[in-house]
């Protein structure tokens, strides 16, 4: 495999160019809107070659998804292809320009699913919930290959076996909601492979999945690509994934191609400024933040501000409870950032919510040391105490859109905790709000606007301003940067660390992203199925993990360096 | 699944008992009873009934007994002999009166249902797929118009047109010659000949609202990612519409069966009166006005039973159609 990869990857030498499957030239797709047009794709050109993987990378709104959909002419209304050509080269030597075909015509439909297949981001909603898996796969077979029902069924079982779905002859008759996220994406892949397409378009196929599941899906796509010799066009925003799987990379920004070249060039010798910035912000998150490097060593003698002992949080029936948090013990020291890392369902969010007693824990203690040295057990605190404690422990949420009331101005949102707790009102409140906005890097004059007038990063800043409004001592940040593009992520983390130094905050930083944890956190706790499997200094846990699960988790994370592809060396944890 | 149906059927029994008691109480609630109304009617035509006759009538109908006894007798007769009592006004067994009219009501309702769904669902789909096109605006305009026109007015207009322009006999469901005649091929033809006017009238308002609901359902589904998946698979636009979004958009309609059945009895009373249709609605109204309690009670009981059966049917159908519900 390595020999093959080294020859094919040196495409600029002209040594081994694979046959071109799709040649896109000056593709332009417009979305007419009320006041003009949005040029979602603006003069994009590239080649997709047989047996190779082209990654299209860019931040949200870069037009990467629309580019992919333009190829099959399935751009959502009112978008339409304005100009350009997309020449599909068939194995028999004939060519067809997809851009010239009628989007509802017979010819383009014969290409869709048969010659160019596509898989999507959200495997749950991308499959019909009321049709069996087999029904949806067989449909493609019967449509394009004219198979009989029995033949299609046999082929369908075979396809499910190829994508490693257990008991494929039973799985055929099951529904999508009976499968896990990773299994659903396997079904999608089986469906796309049904007619042996010469090209596969994958639109963020692993974004909704955990890293370990992602690694398996990427493995599967690569293996199938080698078996079938497909060309793969892979759309993603994750530079780690790009480094792991790409042969060639297109970097897109605002509908335009910023840079197009072999993966090694993009990562190690980027020419374009935007690419440099993008790679820079990814690499920045691979190491400890500069702000933290400058800090004096922390005084470990101080007693912890939060001490969690044997915390239990169960859901479901008392007889057979789901232990979302199972015997968790943690300490958070003053001025420290404790990272909580884990995959979905590990209980990290539930744990974070228990700290503010959003849920009533079933057992254990959460000792909170107040500024005057008094220790309060949050689990048993009465209403009045809890109210006071909740002023001092605040929360920042993942979704910057959903966590801000769209009918309140920014001034109302940020000022609400002050008003509710009777701390400030009138002119004083207004001044406090202006000051808070300044602290998080927002223009105070914007405070009369509504949240929809702000970008995702700005909205998260509003969330932070609201969290620090009451001068808290501890902030629980639940995936606070996950919804943000990578270039904004480090800015947001830097802001949080500056506030930490200025206000003496402690953070409990919940994330699934090891990069962010490494950048931001002093210590980290790894959660798996409700339990903390490992706790330690960030460097130690990230570089020399002791627990087998941590090792498996870290080995599944794609690193943003195409010269150090490690994912195929990963190991699995069967706990 | 079978267990689910069985347990639902078992639960229907206590609900029916409670419902029957409530309906009996409800009918007794207005002041006076049938005899009072009867005497008032007679008094209107200058006949005087003395107190003795009234008391005699009351004891003959059992109206002098306490309500709970009357209820027990009534329910006992229904359960043991299927006897719903005697209609005071018609002096006939209630069951005879009801079943004759229910059959015709059933014919009318189902024809209306077929016409409504047959017209509204395709138009609703069209209107959603061609959102904001001229066709959509036209359909939307017409359906709001249909919603706005009172159905009795439409009934009068249609009757006028049918009678004056086509010289057709209007009102009722049969020509005079066939009203009392036994069922035959020609009687069915005659029924069909009369049926179209009420069906059109009832369908117009139903269609209008249904188009709007179907359009909204369909718009929700059309933007779902699985539609894009189906398109990327190479399905033709029509096939994918029918197989995926339409299938899901129809699910909410199955729930409406629950209140379609009781509508058999109580729906479209005004239209039925205007057109003098021999359906259940006008009879129910008349029985309530004259406090003909056993007839009214039987109707209320029937409506409640149909509601229960209707929701059972729609639950079973939903489970059959939507695997997410079935496997819960």
């Amino acid at each position: 495999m390595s020999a093959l990869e080294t020859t094919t990857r040196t495409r600029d030498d002209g040594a081994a160019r694979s046959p071109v499957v799709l040649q896109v030239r000056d593709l332009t797709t417009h979305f007419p809107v009320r006041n003009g047009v949005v040029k979602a794709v603006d003069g994009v050109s590239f080649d997709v070659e047989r047996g190779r993987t082209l990654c299209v990378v860019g931040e949200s709104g870069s037009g990467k998804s629309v580019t992919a959909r333009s190829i099959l002419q399935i751009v959502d209304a009112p978008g339409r292809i304005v100009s350009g050509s997309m020449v599909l080269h068939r194995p028999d030597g004939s060519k067809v320009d997809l851009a010239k075909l009628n989007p509802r015509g017979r010819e383009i439909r014969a290409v869709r699913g048969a010659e160019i297949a596509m898989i999507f981001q959200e495997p749950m909603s991308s499959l019909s919930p009321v049709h069996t898996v087999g029904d949806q796969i067989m449909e493609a077979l019967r449509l394009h290959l004219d198979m009989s029902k029995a033949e299609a069924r046999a082929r369908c079982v075979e396809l499910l076996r190829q994508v490693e779905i257990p008991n494929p002859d039973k799985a055929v008759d099951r529904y999508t909601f009976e499968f896990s996220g990773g299994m659903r994406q396997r079904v999608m892949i089986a469906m796309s492979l049904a007619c042996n397409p010469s090209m596969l378009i994958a639109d963020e196929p692993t974004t909704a999945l955990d890293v370990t599941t992602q690694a398996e899906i990427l493995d599967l796509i690569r293996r199938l690509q080698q078996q079938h010799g497909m060309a793969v066009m892979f759309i993603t925003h994750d530079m780690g994934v790009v480094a792991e799987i790409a042969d060639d990379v297109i970097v897109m920004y605002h509908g335009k191609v910023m840079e197009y070249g072999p993966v090694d060039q993009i990562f190690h010798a980027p020419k374009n400024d935007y690419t440099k910035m993008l790679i820079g912000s990814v690499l920045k998150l691979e190491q400890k933040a500069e702000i933290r490097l400058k800090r004096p060593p922390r005084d470990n003698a101080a007693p912890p501000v939060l001490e969690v002992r044997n915390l239990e949080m169960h859901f479901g029936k008392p007889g057979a409870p789901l232990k979302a948090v199972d015997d968790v013990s943690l300490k958070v020291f003053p001025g420290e950032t404790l990272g909580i890392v884990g995959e979905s369902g590990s209980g990290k969010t539930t744990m974070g919510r228990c700290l503010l007693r959003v849920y009533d824990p079933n057992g254990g203690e959460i000792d909170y040391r107040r500024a005057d040295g008094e220790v309060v057990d949050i689990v048993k605190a009465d209403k009045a105490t809890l109210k006071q404690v909740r002023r001092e422990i605040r929360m920042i949420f993942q979704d910057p859109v959903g966590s801000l009331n769209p009918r309140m101005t920014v001034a109302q949102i940020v000022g609400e905790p002050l008003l509710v707790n009777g701390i400030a009102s009138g002119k004083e409140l207004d001044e406090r709000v202006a000051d808070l906005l300044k602290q998080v890097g927002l223009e105070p004059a914007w405070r009369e606007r509504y949240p929809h007038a702000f970008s995702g990063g700005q909205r998260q800043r509003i969330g932070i301003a609201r969290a620090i409004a009451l001068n808290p001592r501890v902030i629980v940040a639940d995936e606070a940067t996950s919804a943000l593009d990578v270039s904004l992520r480090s800015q947001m983390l830097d802001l949080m660390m500056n506030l930490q130094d200025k206000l003496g905050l402690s953070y409990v930083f919940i994330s699934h992203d090891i990069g962010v944890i490494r950048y931001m956190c002093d210590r980290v706790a790894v959660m798996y199925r409700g339990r903390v499997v490992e706790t330690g200094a960030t460097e130690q846990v990230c570089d020399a993990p002791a627990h087998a699960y941590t090792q498996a988790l870290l080995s599944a994370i794609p690193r943003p360096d195409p010269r150090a592809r490690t994912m195929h060396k990963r190991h699995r944890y069967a706990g | 699944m079978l267990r689910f149906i069985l347990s639902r059927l078992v639960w229907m029994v206590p609900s029916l008992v409670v419902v029957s008691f409530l309906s009996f109480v409800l009918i007794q609630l207005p002041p006076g009873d049938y005899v009072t109304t009867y005497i008032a009617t007679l008094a209107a035509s200058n006949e005087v009934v003395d107190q003795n006759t009234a008391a005699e009538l009351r004891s003959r109908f059992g109206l002098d007994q306490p309500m709970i006894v009357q209820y027990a007798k009534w329910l006992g007769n229904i359960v043991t002999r299927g006897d719903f009592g005697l209609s005071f006004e018609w002096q006939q067994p209630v069951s005879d009166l009801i079943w004759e009219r229910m059959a015709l009501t059933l014919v009318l309702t189902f024809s209306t249902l077929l016409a409504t769904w047959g017209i509204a669902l395709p138009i609703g789909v069209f209107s959603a797929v061609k959102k904001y096109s001229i066709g959509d605006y036209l359909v939307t305009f017409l359906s709001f118009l249909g919603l706005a026109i009172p159905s009795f007015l439409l009934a009068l207009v249609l009757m006028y047109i049918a009678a004056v322009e086509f010289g057709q006999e209007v009102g009722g469901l049969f020509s005079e010659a066939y009203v009392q005649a036994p069922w035959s091929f020609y009687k069915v033809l005659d029924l069909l000949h009369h049926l179209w006017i009420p069906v059109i009238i009832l369908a117009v308002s139903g269609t209008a609202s249904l188009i709007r609901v179907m359009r909204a359902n369909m718009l929700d589904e059309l933007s779902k990612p699985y539609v894009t998946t189906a398109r990327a698979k190479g399905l033709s636009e029509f096939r994918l519409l029918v197989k995926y979004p339409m299938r899901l958009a129809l699910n909410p309609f199955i729930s409406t069966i629950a209140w379609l059945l009781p509508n058999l009895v109580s729906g479209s009373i005004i239209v039925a009166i205007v057109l003098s249709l021999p359906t259940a609605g006008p009879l129910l109204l008349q029985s309530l006005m004259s406090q003909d309690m056993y007839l009214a009670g039987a109707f209320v009981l029937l409506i409640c039973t149909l509601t229960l059966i209707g929701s059972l049917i729609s639950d079973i159908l939903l489970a059959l159609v939507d695997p997410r519900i079935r496997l819960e």
Side-chain angles (χ1 to χ4, degrees):
Chain A
M1 186 173 95
S2 60
L4 178 83
E5 279 197 355
T6 43
T7 50
T8 49
R9 216 178 287 154
T10 54
R11 62 166 287 182
D12 275 1
D13 311 344
R17 293 212 51 165
S18 312
V20 173
V21 177
L22 184 75
Q23 205 165 30
V24 175
R25 291 291 174 269
D26 297 316
L27 177 68
T28 307
T29 303
H30 285 178
F31 281 76
V33 289
R34 203 155 40 94
N35 45 3
V37 288
V38 174
K39 296 173 180 171
V41 181
D42 193 3
V44 169
S45 305
F46 56 87
D47 292 342
V48 188
E49 294 164 21
R50 193 179 145 73
R52 290 168 63 91
T53 301
L54 173 74
C55 274
V56 183
V57 64
E59 300 186 287
S60 45
S62 61
K64 50 191 195 303
S65 224
V66 179
T67 306
R69 282 159 200 239
S70 296
I71 293 173
L72 286 180
Q73 296 230 32
I74 52 170
V75 185
D76 288 331
R80 59 188 190 89
I81 298 170
V82 178
S83 62
S85 69
M86 303 182 289
V87 179
L88 174 69
H89 296 253
R90 297 206 160 101
D92 62 8
S94 63
K95 295 177 192 172
V96 58
D97 184 356
L98 301 179
K100 299 245 166 4
L101 301 180
N102 172 5
R104 303 175 66 119
R106 194 177 295 275
E107 286 165 284
I108 189 79
R109 292 208 314 262
V111 172
R112 290 178 193 158
E115 293 181 89
I116 303 178
M118 189 156 176
I119 53 180
F120 299 90
Q121 173 172 354
E122 195 47 73
M124 179 70 206
S125 47
S126 295
L127 291 166
S128 160
V130 297
H131 295 88
T132 60
V133 160
D135 183 2
Q136 296 182 61
I137 298 177
M138 282 186 264
E139 184 177 52
L141 291 167
R142 291 177 52 103
L143 184 73
H144 295 296
L145 304 180
D146 211 17
M147 283 187 180
S148 72
K149 249 190 178 142
E151 282 172 327
R153 195 183 160 86
R155 168 93 173 119
C156 180
V157 173
E158 171 54 31
L159 283 164
L160 290 176
R161 186 169 291 126
Q162 268 190 38
V163 296
E164 292 160 9
I165 285 191
N167 299 326
D169 37 348
K170 289 209 177 64
V172 168
D173 295 317
R174 291 171 69 187
Y175 294 92
T176 47
F177 54 86
E178 298 175 77
F179 293 97
S180 67
M183 285 295 156
R184 283 183 207 137
Q185 200 56 286
R186 284 169 194 269
V187 169
M188 274 298 275
I189 293 172
M191 191 161 90
S192 64
L193 293 176
C195 306
N196 278 325
S198 48
M199 178 174 160
L200 176 71
I201 303 175
D203 188 355
E204 304 254 12
T206 58
T207 306
L209 306 174
D210 278 324
V211 276
T212 47
T213 321
Q214 161 173 288
E216 281 168 21
I217 294 292
L218 293 179
D219 251 7
L220 176 70
I221 293 178
R222 174 184 300 173
R223 195 167 52 71
L224 294 168
Q225 179 182 20
Q226 282 163 358
Q227 278 169 14
H228 299 269
M230 285 181 303
V232 172
M233 181 173 165
F234 196 102
I235 289 121
T236 180
H237 68 279
D238 185 335
M239 293 306 277
V241 172
V242 176
E244 189 65 40
I245 64 164
D247 294 310
D248 303 298
V249 179
I250 299 178
V251 182
M252 283 187 74
Y253 181 67
H254 281 329
K256 287 198 163 73
V257 173
M258 292 289 116
E259 191 160 357
Y260 174 30
V263 64
D264 201 67
Q265 176 198 316
I266 298 286
F267 277 87
H268 291 289
K271 296 191 181 86
N272 179 275
D273 287 339
Y274 177 75
T275 316
K276 281 179 194 161
M277 191 279 293
L278 198 63
I279 301 286
S281 39
V282 172
L283 291 179
K284 200 173 165 190
L285 288 178
E286 283 291 295
Q287 52 215 320
K288 202 169 164 177
E290 283 167 27
I291 300 174
R292 278 176 55 220
L293 288 171
K294 285 187 211 138
R295 282 181 186 165
R298 249 178 349 95
D299 175 21
N300 275 336
V305 59
L306 261 182
E307 185 167 6
V308 178
R309 271 193 303 267
N310 312 104
L311 190 70
E312 296 278 341
M313 181 69 230
H314 301 172
F315 292 110
K317 290 176 201 147
L322 173 78
K323 294 184 176 181
V325 177
D326 185 8
D327 194 22
V328 165
S329 300
L330 295 167
K331 281 178 189 166
V332 185
F333 292 97
E336 177 192 57
T337 305
L338 172 72
I340 310 276
V341 68
E343 297 186 284
S344 53
S346 62
K348 53 189 195 301
T349 293
T350 311
M351 210 284 298
R353 291 185 180 173
C354 285
L355 294 182
L356 280 100
R357 222 169 97 189
V358 176
Y359 302 131
D360 274 321
N362 296 59
E365 291 150 45
I366 305 172
D367 284 341
Y368 170 64
R369 185 179 297 272
R370 308 191 60 174
D372 57 9
E374 184 201 351
V375 175
V376 183
D377 182 1
I378 296 177
V379 174
K380 295 193 183 67
D382 58 31
K383 237 178 168 176
T385 325
L386 199 60
K387 196 177 168 192
Q388 287 176 337
V389 168
R390 280 183 182 156
R391 283 187 201 173
E392 294 166 27
I393 307 180
R394 308 295 294 177
M395 202 151 182
I396 302 175
F397 301 91
Q398 170 172 5
D399 181 0
V401 182
S403 57
L404 302 178
N405 186 336
R407 305 204 189 283
M408 283 165 78
T409 64
V410 169
Q412 286 170 325
I413 290 170
V414 175
E416 193 178 31
L418 294 165
L419 199 65
V420 168
N421 285 292
I423 291 172
S425 61
K427 196 164 158 35
E428 195 198 346
L429 177 71
D430 202 45
E431 280 164 12
R432 285 283 291 272
V433 168
D435 181 52
L436 283 167
L437 289 179
K438 221 180 291 167
Q439 283 194 49
V440 297
L442 290 175
E443 192 61 51
W446 294 344
R447 64 183 182 280
E448 290 310 317
R449 299 187 187 173
Y450 288 90
H452 68 84
F454 294 86
S455 69
Q458 288 170 331
R459 283 184 206 161
Q460 200 56 296
R461 283 169 193 263
I462 298 170
I464 293 174
R466 174 174 60 184
I468 61 170
L470 292 173
N471 291 325
R473 301 177 63 228
V474 180
I475 287 182
V476 179
D478 189 356
E479 301 274 9
T481 58
S482 301
L484 302 178
D485 279 325
V486 63
S487 60
L488 289 173
R489 227 172 265 170
S490 55
Q491 287 176 24
M492 203 62 57
L493 297 172
D494 287 346
L495 169 71
M496 288 176 71
M497 282 183 283
N498 281 328
L499 291 171
Q500 182 169 38
D501 289 344
K502 213 157 43 179
L503 307 172
L505 292 169
S506 304
Y507 286 118
V508 176
F509 196 90
I510 298 164
S511 181
H512 69 280
D513 185 340
I514 284 280
V516 169
I517 296 270
R518 197 196 297 265
Y519 187 75
M520 170 96 185
C521 300
D522 302 303
R523 288 187 311 123
V524 58
V526 184
M527 283 190 77
Y528 177 68
R529 295 194 181 166
R531 289 177 161 269
V532 170
V533 294
E534 185 167 359
T535 318
T538 306
E539 285 74 25
Q540 184 210 321
V541 173
C542 291
D543 298 333
H547 194 275
Y549 172 71
T550 319
Q551 290 164 2
L553 182 71
L554 287 167
S555 73
I557 295 168
R559 308 297 299 273
D561 182 1
R563 290 179 190 172
R565 293 187 173 179
T566 52
M567 228 164 58
H568 57 278
K569 290 188 218 138
R570 77 181 196 281
H571 40 90
R572 298 176 190 191
Y573 177 67
Chain B
M1 187 69 191
L2 204 68
R3 261 190 58 180
F4 166 76
I5 297 174
L6 277 179
S7 74
R8 284 288 298 265
L9 282 173
V10 170
W11 270 107
M12 273 169 76
V13 177
S15 341
L16 273 178
V17 171
V18 172
V19 156
S20 68
F21 182 71
L22 280 179
S23 52
F24 202 81
V25 171
L26 271 178
I27 287 156
Q28 301 270 8
L29 272 183
D33 53 27
Y34 174 69
V35 175
T36 331
T37 326
Y38 180 65
I39 293 169
T41 329
L42 290 181
S45 51
N46 288 326
E47 276 184 58
V48 184
V49 181
D50 63 46
Q51 287 300 314
N52 285 342
T53 326
E56 194 201 326
L57 272 174
R58 281 210 170 86
S59 81
R60 200 170 88 209
F61 293 144
L63 292 176
D64 50 350
Q65 288 161 334
M67 195 192 75
I68 194 80
V69 177
Q70 293 183 39
Y71 168 71
K73 267 193 185 165
W74 180 60
L75 193 68
N77 282 340
I78 292 175
V79 174
T80 50
R81 291 186 283 143
D83 177 6
F84 286 83
L86 195 73
S87 161
F88 302 141
E89 200 180 11
W90 297 76
Q91 293 299 323
Q92 275 182 39
V94 166
S95 41
D96 290 2
L97 279 172
I98 287 186
W99 297 133
E100 190 189 306
R101 292 197 164 219
M102 278 310 286
L104 287 174
T105 314
L106 211 67
V107 169
L108 177 63
T109 313
F110 276 99
S111 330
T112 312
L113 186 70
L114 284 183
T116 318
W117 285 27
I119 300 167
L121 298 185
I123 293 181
V125 172
F126 164 83
S127 173
V129 173
K130 303 270 176 205
K131 190 173 66 155
Y132 303 143
S133 68
I134 293 177
D136 176 31
Y137 284 129
L138 189 73
V139 168
T140 306
F141 174 74
L142 287 179
S143 55
F144 279 128
L145 204 64
L147 266 178
I149 296 175
S151 43
F152 71 88
L153 185 69
L154 193 64
L156 291 173
V157 171
L158 267 184
M159 269 163 81
Y160 176 81
I161 293 176
V164 175
E165 299 294 323
F166 301 106
Q168 195 188 333
E169 196 186 329
V170 291
L173 283 176
F174 300 103
S175 313
E176 246 168 76
Y178 287 107
V179 173
Q180 299 298 335
W183 280 101
S184 66
F185 176 69
Y186 292 102
K187 186 167 179 179
V188 172
L189 267 190
D190 186 58
L191 174 65
L192 289 180
H193 195 63
H194 282 82
L195 202 58
W196 66 272
I197 294 183
V199 165
I200 286 182
I201 294 160
L202 293 175
V204 160
S205 58
T207 309
S209 55
L210 210 61
I211 288 177
R212 301 304 297 166
V213 176
M214 187 65 193
R215 180 177 184 271
N217 284 353
M218 203 53 192
L219 282 179
D220 281 349
E221 295 300 328
L222 278 177
S223 58
K224 295 269 172 77
Y226 65 79
V227 179
T228 312
T229 309
R231 202 168 282 145
K233 236 188 268 183
L235 285 178
S236 73
E237 207 64 16
F238 181 75
R239 247 180 93 178
L240 80 86
L241 270 184
V242 172
K243 180 164 179 186
Y244 294 103
M246 224 174 99
R247 163 85 190 270
L248 279 125
L250 281 177
N251 272 6
F253 287 104
I254 294 172
S255 325
T256 64
I257 292 175
W259 64 79
L260 267 177
L261 282 184
N263 253 341
L264 275 180
V265 181
S266 59
S268 61
I269 292 185
I270 300 178
V271 174
I273 291 173
V274 171
L275 291 174
S276 64
L277 301 177
T279 52
L283 190 63
L284 168 65
L285 183 66
Q286 177 56 35
S287 68
L288 286 172
M289 289 200 306
S290 63
Q291 299 204 359
D292 190 349
M293 58 182 252
Y294 292 126
L295 185 55
F299 268 125
V300 175
L301 194 59
L302 193 64
I303 292 174
C304 296
T305 316
L306 286 174
T307 311
L308 289 174
I309 293 175
S311 34
L312 179 65
I313 291 178
S314 73
D315 282 357
I316 292 173
L317 278 180
L318 259 185
L320 285 179
V321 167
D322 195 332
R324 287 169 296 184
I325 293 171
R326 183 162 68 231
L327 290 163
E328 236 168 43

